[in-house]
Amino acid sequence: MKTFHGHTGPVTRVAVYQTCLGQERLVTGSWDKTIKVWDTETKACLATLRGHTDFVKGLAVRAVMVANKEDSEGEKVLGHELFSCSYDGTILHWDLQSFAPFEGGRGGPWRGHIRGVNDLCLTIEEDNEQGNDHEKTGDQGKEYLYSAGSDGTIRKWDITRGQGRGGHCVHVFQHHATTVYKVLVDSIEIWSVSADKTAQRLDLETNKTDTKLEHPDFAKSIALAGPYVMTGGRQESIRVWSIGTGKLVKEIKGHFDEVSSMVVIGSTLFSGSLDGTIRRWSLKEKDLASLPKDKANLHASNQEPATESASYALAQEKHEEKKPGMMTEEEERELAELMDSDDDD
C-alpha cells in the first residue's frame, strides 16, 4: 500500500490514467481547492493545479490523440485532458501534458450551475447532427460531459462547442427536487442520486424518468453491475436493486456511517464510507441470495483504513474518539458548514 502526502485538506476524489509511455498517474482533488497529479511508482507530486476557489468535488479524465512534438511528420500519440468541478459552481478544463488550463478560453470556467458542482461523467453518444456524413467519418460518436449540481440539476455539455465559450450546455435535466450528488450515463440512460432521497433513471431518448428508487435518507452514491444498480447514502447500508423490475433485491449492512462512494470491478463491489473503511462485497447471484439482510456481508474484506479522504469522517465523531492532528479546527468548521448546507437541501 502506498500513501501520498501533500494536500492540506481532505481528499474528495481520485482518478487514474496511463501516459502513452505506460506510466501510471494518479489525480486527486481536495478541500484545499487544488488538484494534484502524482507518479504512482515514485509517489512524487508532478504538478499542483490551482484555479478553483472552493472545494474540488469531481474529476473526469478524457483520453485524446495529440500531436507528437518529437515527430516532425506530425504523428499523433495518446494524451489526456482533465475536467474538474468544484463547490465554486464551475467546471475547469486542464491539459495533462502541460499541467495547465487550456488557453484561449478553452480551460473555462464553464458556468451554468447556480450552486456547487458535485460530480462529472464523460460519455460518447450518437451524433445525430451529422447524419450520414458522420457515418462516413468513421467516428464512434460525439463526446459530452454531464455534471451534477447542488442546484438540483444535471447539465449536458457539448465538449467541442464548449471550447473557448465558457462551456456549451445543450440540455438541463431537472427531474430531482434538490442536490444531485452523483451522475452515471450508461448508453441511453442517466442514473443519478440525490438529497431528495431517490435514485432515478432517465431515458435520454424521451428525456423522461422511467425509474425512481425511494430511500429513507439522502442517496449519495451509485454503481451499476449487469442487472443490478447499487445505491448508498446516509442510511449506512448498500441497497441492491433489480434494474428490470425496480425492486429491492437485497439490503447489505456492514458500514456504520454514510456510504459515500462505490465502484464495481468484475463481480465485486467496493464501497467507501465515512466510518473510515473500504469494504468489498461479492455481487454473484449465489452470494447475494445467501446473504442475511441484517448482517454484514460474509464476503466483506477485513476492515482497512481508507485513503486520506476518510479523514472527512472525523467530524462525525459518531462511533469513535477523535484522532488528534488529523483535521484542523478550520477544516472542521468547513466540514460542519458543508454538512449543514447538505441538510438544508
Side-chain angles (χ1 to χ4, degrees):
M1 183 178 72
K2 295 182 179 180
T3 303
F4 299 80
H5 296 279
H7 284 293
T8 57
V11 176
T12 56
R13 195 62 58 93
V14 299
V16 177
Y17 70 96
Q18 281 195 337
T19 70
C20 61
L21 300 178
Q23 301 159 319
E24 190 175 69
R25 300 288 185 252
L26 173 68
V27 187
T28 56
S30 170
W31 278 21
D32 65 13
K33 308 173 189 177
T34 72
I35 299 161
K36 291 182 179 289
V37 184
W38 311 80
D39 183 320
T40 60
E41 181 65 28
T42 66
K43 299 194 296 183
C45 180
L46 304 177
T48 299
L49 313 183
R50 294 180 171 88
H52 287 296
T53 59
D54 210 329
F55 306 149
V56 177
K57 300 297 294 289
L59 303 170
V61 175
R62 178 193 185 201
V64 293
M65 298 304 295
V66 298
N68 185 353
K69 296 181 180 179
E70 299 179 0
D71 190 326
S72 58
E73 297 182 0
E75 179 185 359
K76 292 189 174 182
V77 295
L78 180 66
H80 293 86
E81 300 174 358
L82 175 72
F83 290 94
S84 62
C85 66
S86 166
Y87 217 65
D88 64 15
T90 69
I91 299 169
L92 297 181
H93 189 190
W94 309 84
D95 182 350
L96 288 178
Q97 280 64 246
S98 64
F99 301 125
F102 282 102
E103 298 178 351
R106 290 182 61 200
W110 292 13
R111 300 183 186 276
H113 289 283
I114 60 175
R115 295 188 63 188
V117 187
N118 298 312
D119 194 30
L120 299 173
C121 179
L122 283 166
T123 183
I124 299 176
E125 300 175 18
E126 183 178 352
D127 185 0
N128 295 322
E129 296 180 8
Q130 294 190 22
N132 293 331
D133 290 338
H134 159 68
E135 294 179 3
K136 293 177 183 178
T137 65
D139 292 339
Q140 298 301 309
K142 190 169 184 176
E143 288 182 284
Y144 293 94
L145 179 72
Y146 288 79
S147 58
S150 292
D151 57 7
T153 71
I154 297 171
R155 289 179 173 263
K156 179 179 180 179
W157 306 83
D158 184 323
I159 292 177
T160 303
R161 291 186 178 182
Q163 308 293 358
R165 297 181 54 182
H168 182 75
C169 181
V170 297
H171 197 86
V172 180
F173 302 94
Q174 303 181 70
H175 50 288
H176 282 290
T178 185
T179 299
V180 184
Y181 292 111
K182 293 286 191 301
V183 59
L184 291 176
V185 181
D186 181 41
S187 183
I188 60 169
E189 301 171 348
I190 299 177
W191 284 93
S192 52
V193 288
S194 168
D196 64 13
K197 304 179 183 180
T198 71
Q200 298 191 37
R201 179 178 67 178
L202 182 140
D203 188 324
L204 282 171
E205 292 186 334
T206 64
N207 283 341
K208 293 182 179 180
T209 300
D210 58 18
T211 301
K212 181 182 287 188
L213 308 176
E214 303 285 349
H215 295 70
D217 209 330
F218 292 5
K220 304 194 73 171
S221 56
I222 188 167
L224 299 172
Y228 303 122
V229 56
M230 284 69 62
T231 58
R234 294 207 314 195
Q235 78 275 6
E236 302 181 0
S237 63
I238 297 169
R239 297 186 166 211
V240 182
W241 309 80
S242 167
I243 293 177
T245 66
K247 293 183 177 180
L248 183 65
V249 175
K250 187 72 65 174
E251 182 175 10
I252 306 172
K253 296 184 178 180
H255 287 294
F256 54 84
D257 210 326
E258 175 183 303
V259 181
S260 55
S261 61
M262 294 191 292
V263 64
V264 174
I265 301 177
S267 60
T268 302
L269 172 69
F270 292 84
S271 59
S273 168
L274 297 190
D275 64 14
T277 67
I278 298 172
R279 296 173 181 250
R280 66 182 182 188
W281 320 85
S282 172
L283 294 176
K284 293 179 180 179
E285 189 172 351
K286 63 181 180 65
D287 293 329
L288 286 175
S290 63
L291 178 64
K293 281 189 177 183
D294 59 346
K295 295 182 180 180
N297 192 317
L298 301 179
H299 297 274
S301 66
N302 292 331
Q303 294 187 10
E304 300 173 0
T307 60
E308 286 95 333
S309 61
S311 62
Y312 180 83
L314 293 176
Q316 305 296 314
E317 296 183 9
K318 184 175 181 181
H319 299 286
E320 60 182 3
E321 295 182 359
K322 179 181 175 183
K323 299 175 183 178
M326 292 294 287
M327 294 181 71
T328 65
E329 290 184 7
E330 180 181 1
E331 289 168 349
E332 290 181 350
R333 285 196 300 271
E334 289 177 341
L335 176 56
E337 290 173 1
L338 182 61
M339 300 299 278
D340 287 343
S341 68
D342 281 348
D343 289 342
D344 291 341
D345 292 328

